[in-house]
Amino acid sequence: MQTIDNSAAESAADGFYRIALGVEYKGSRYRGWQRQASGVRTVQETLEDALGKVAASPVSLMCAGRTDAGVHACGQVVHFDTQAERSMKAWVMGANINLPHDVSVTWAKVMPPTFHARFKAIARRYRYVIYNDQIRPAHLGEEITWNHRPLDVTRMAAAAQALVGTHDFSAFRAGQCQAKSPIKQLHHLRVTQHGKMIVIDVRANAFLHHMVRNIAGVLMTIGTGERPIEWAAEVLQSRVRRTGGVTAHPFGLYLVQVEYRDEFPLPERYIGPHFLTGFDTLADVADSIC
């Protein structure tokens, strides 16, 4: 059995442990994170089934960010409560043995009962990856968004700056969004090019439904020259969704990082996805929490 550290001892005293996990997955085969009607494949149900086998009892997960159908994650954080005593290695390896090839648990840690994967998160970060070439790529077809029109990254990066800060993002919000408020704080929104790949890197306190994909759609439209750089600010100020054009495909979108305050230290990994880790210009830059 694992020796429980002091920060989590109170959980054990109450007869349960709160376990946090790092999770990555390819979302192509799934109808998003959240468990749905029977017969609909979701990441949550797949992971709960695998962990239930390790715990020898049902497991119910809470996640930091509910991703949509087709969206990927390499920095998802989840938690669950259990009376089962297992080592952290057993949670990781046991889950992975029972998971399909496109879902993987990367780490596990016992947390105090005050930790909550969703409500204690102070920032979330996504990356949207575009393959920009006239020819459709044969590889990574469901893991990047292909755009055959030449995109001007300088224009996209300039337009992105109008969205940084605290704003009403109603114009970038899906009609079915259930968030109580459209006001969010974007800490950064960066656009960089790496050969044929263009990466939109965005970090905020929280996101609205389809917000990143709608931002990507606006920036790609500006990148083609179809709209002026100032259009991003105009869309934002309109607060009307239909002014922002089409929602970009989910294929290139990744939840890459979830951040918590120092009282909840979690294992650190690289900022993904995997195939971008070799680009020096994508090296992580620390951002202060406002």
Side-chain angles (χ1 to χ4, degrees), residues 122 124 163-174 177-187 203-209 211 215 236 239:
I122 56 175
R124 296 163 178 84
L163 306 182
V164 176
T166 302
H167 305 288
D168 182 330
F169 283 93
S170 293
F172 297 91
R173 176 182 191 170
C177 181
Q178 298 178 355
K180 294 181 180 179
S181 171
I183 298 175
K184 304 299 174 187
Q185 181 183 21
L186 253 63
H187 302 299
R203 176 176 174 270
N205 64 331
F207 290 88
L208 302 168
H209 192 196
M211 181 171 163
I215 288 174
L236 177 69
R239 300 182 182 179

Side-chain angles (χ1 to χ4, degrees), residues 82-140:
T82 182
Q83 293 182 315
E85 294 187 46
R86 305 286 186 270
S87 70
M88 295 304 99
K89 182 178 180 180
W91 285 119
V92 174
M93 302 304 293
N96 287 338
I97 288 173
N98 290 289
L99 284 169
H101 68 279
D102 49 8
V103 182
S104 181
V105 173
T106 57
W107 54 261
K109 185 175 180 179
V110 181
M111 300 298 290
T114 52
F115 175 79
H116 193 286
R118 178 184 176 190
F119 297 125
K120 292 299 183 178
I122 56 175
R124 296 163 178 84
R125 184 172 176 180
Y126 285 85
R127 281 178 171 173
Y128 192 85
V129 186
I130 305 159
Y131 184 82
N132 192 210
D133 190 68
Q134 282 188 319
I135 306 301
R136 173 178 54 81
H139 305 289
L140 300 177

Side-chain angles (χ1 to χ4, degrees), residues 26-203:
K26 178 181 175 181
S28 308
R29 292 196 309 137
Y30 301 92
R31 291 291 299 275
W33 162 266
Q34 190 170 9
R35 179 185 285 269
Q36 299 180 36
S38 178
V40 176
R41 190 197 308 265
T42 66
V43 180
Q44 181 180 10
E45 181 176 11
T46 300
L47 186 55
E48 285 178 346
D49 289 349
L51 290 167
K53 294 176 182 177
V54 181
S57 61
V59 166
S60 179
L61 293 171
M62 293 294 300
C63 74
R66 293 180 293 181
T67 51
D68 290 336
V71 176
H72 318 296
C74 40
Q76 178 72 275
V77 177
V78 306
H79 84 260
F80 64 97
D81 294 333
T82 182
Q83 293 182 315
E85 294 187 46
R86 305 286 186 270
S87 70
M88 295 304 99
K89 182 178 180 180
W91 285 119
V92 174
M93 302 304 293
N96 287 338
I97 288 173
N98 290 289
L99 284 169
H101 68 279
D102 49 8
V103 182
S104 181
V105 173
T106 57
W107 54 261
K109 185 175 180 179
V110 181
M111 300 298 290
T114 52
F115 175 79
H116 193 286
R118 178 184 176 190
F119 297 125
K120 292 299 183 178
I122 56 175
R124 296 163 178 84
R125 184 172 176 180
Y126 285 85
R127 281 178 171 173
Y128 192 85
V129 186
I130 305 159
Y131 184 82
N132 192 210
D133 190 68
Q134 282 188 319
I135 306 301
R136 173 178 54 81
H139 305 289
L140 300 177
E142 296 176 323
E143 296 172 70
I144 56 174
T145 287
W146 170 50
N147 193 318
H148 69 278
R149 300 173 296 174
L151 297 175
D152 186 324
V153 175
T154 301
R155 289 172 55 86
M156 294 170 68
Q161 296 315 299
L163 306 182
V164 176
T166 302
H167 305 288
D168 182 330
F169 283 93
S170 293
F172 297 91
R173 176 182 191 170
Q176 63 269 40
C177 181
Q178 298 178 355
K180 294 181 180 179
S181 171
I183 298 175
K184 304 299 174 187
Q185 181 183 21
L186 253 63
H187 302 299
H188 76 232
L189 178 54
R190 305 169 184 148
V191 185
T192 55
Q193 187 162 14
H194 314 274
K196 296 289 186 181
M197 289 189 185
I198 297 171
V199 180
I200 299 172
D201 188 316
V202 55
R203 176 176 174 270

